[in-house]
């Protein structure tokens, strides 16, 4: 039985993007199950669509022959163990530990960037991004940390490489951040902007972007900055 991955709207669901991109880029076959956002109330169609799949009623959820795994890090670890030949983590133990560290930092941190720059792949909001950059010190601090983290990792790799050389869970983890930077036009040094562009051009990421652009399913509660389209 094929793996199933339950996701939300591709335009908005940064958490869903991570395992979807990971599996697609790594060539792990799966069945996509879209659960459309309508609201997050207990009686919403979204919550009802996840009943019996995930007890906390959130996406993403990976289902393997009836066994459900939720939370992006748990899904990534499960896939790394299920498909060891895909080398989803770096082979070197220290690099693997570092990759786990930066993924965990992304998973639990960068709260200002998440709050003030929600993922919206279809949108182009550089004017909004300039106001956010001017007014939100937390966003500037998050981007500064991101620059330090990415800069250190990329400095240890050949030019044009990803965070740990080849594609890994770390790149999938930071892919939604790359989308936020592009949407809001947040300033980065040229070498880090080049990394963002490399991630956006990965076939797995490009496939997600194409899916997001094809949705045309715009939700007001996910669009705090849009005045028109």
């Amino acid at each position: 039985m094929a793996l199933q991955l339950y996701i939300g709207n591709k335009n908005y669901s940064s958490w869903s993007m991570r395992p979807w991109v990971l599996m697609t880029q790594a060539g792990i076959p799966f069945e996509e199950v879209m659960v459309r956002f309508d609201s997050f109330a207990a009686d919403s169609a979204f919550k009802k669509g996840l009943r019996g799949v995930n007890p906390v009623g959130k996406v993403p959820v990976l289902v393997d022959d009836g066994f459900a795994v939720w939370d992006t890090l748990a899904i990534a670890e499960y896939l790394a163990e299920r498909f060891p030949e895909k080398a989803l983590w770096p082979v070197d133990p220290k690099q693997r530990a570092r990759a786990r560290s930066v993924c965990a930092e992304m998973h639990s941190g960068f709260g200002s960037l998440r709050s003030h720059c929600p993922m919206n792949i279809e949108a182009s909001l550089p004017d909004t991004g300039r106001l956010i950059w001017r007014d939100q010190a937390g966003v500037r601090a998050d981007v500064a940390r991101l620059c330090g983290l990415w800069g250190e990792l990329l400095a240890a790799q050949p030019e044009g490489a990803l965070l740990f050389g080849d594609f890994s869970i770390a790149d999938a983890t930071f892919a939604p951040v790359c989308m936020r930077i592009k949407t809001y036009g947040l300033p980065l040094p040229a070498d880090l902007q080049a990394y963002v562009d490399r991630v956006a051009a990965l076939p797995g990421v490009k496939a997600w972007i194409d899916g997001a652009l094809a949705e045309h399913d715009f939700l007001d509660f996910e669009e705090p900055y849009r005045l028109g389209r």
Side-chain angles (χ1 to χ4, degrees):
M1 182 177 179
L3 296 169
Q4 294 178 303
L5 183 66
Y6 287 72
I7 64 170
N9 296 49
K10 290 179 180 174
N11 195 47
Y12 305 117
S13 187
S14 58
W15 294 108
S16 298
M17 183 181 185
R18 293 180 169 100
W20 194 100
V21 163
L22 179 64
M23 297 173 77
T24 302
Q25 183 68 23
I28 298 171
F30 67 97
E31 175 191 350
E32 174 190 307
V33 183
M34 167 69 74
V35 185
R36 179 186 180 272
F37 294 150
D38 58 338
S39 85
F40 301 111
D43 61 348
S44 66
F46 175 76
K47 292 292 187 182
K48 290 176 181 176
L50 290 169
R51 285 179 185 168
V53 181
N54 180 359
V56 297
K58 295 180 179 180
V59 289
V61 188
L62 180 71
V63 178
D64 185 2
D65 196 20
F67 178 74
V69 184
W70 57 92
D71 183 274
T72 55
L73 281 181
I75 292 170
E77 291 285 10
Y78 184 82
L79 291 169
E81 293 181 357
R82 179 86 153 69
F83 300 95
E85 73 280 3
K86 298 295 184 180
L88 300 180
W89 290 118
V91 174
D92 178 79
K94 290 183 178 179
Q95 289 300 295
R96 190 161 62 247
R98 180 57 52 84
R100 284 189 166 107
S101 294
V102 301
C103 289
E105 182 179 350
M106 181 67 250
H107 192 268
S108 61
F110 299 92
S112 290
L113 184 61
R114 296 182 196 276
S115 298
H116 296 291
C117 301
M119 193 172 85
N120 190 337
I121 289 174
E122 182 270 346
S124 177
L125 300 169
D127 291 340
T128 299
R130 281 190 285 273
L131 293 176
I132 292 169
W133 189 258
R134 183 194 70 186
D135 296 340
Q136 301 299 331
V139 172
R140 296 195 300 273
D142 279 352
V143 172
R145 171 56 191 148
L146 197 65
C147 289
L149 187 157
W150 284 356
E152 180 182 353
L153 295 175
L154 291 170
Q157 303 299 333
E159 185 175 353
L162 297 173
L163 292 179
F164 291 90
D166 295 330
F167 174 79
S168 72
I169 290 169
D171 301 297
T173 296
F174 283 101
V177 180
C178 296
M179 299 300 99
R180 287 177 162 99
I181 288 167
K182 291 177 77 68
T183 292
Y184 298 93
L186 301 180
L188 291 179
D191 59 333
L192 302 187
Q193 184 60 55
Y195 169 71
V196 168
D197 294 340
R198 289 198 297 277
V199 169
L202 290 170
V205 177
K206 181 66 165 55
W208 178 275
I209 293 170
D210 289 346
L213 296 178
E215 283 179 344
H216 300 291
D217 184 12
F218 304 112
L219 304 171
D220 287 344
F221 66 87
E222 294 280 11
E223 298 264 0
Y225 301 121
R226 291 294 282 268
L227 301 178
R229 177 169 284 102

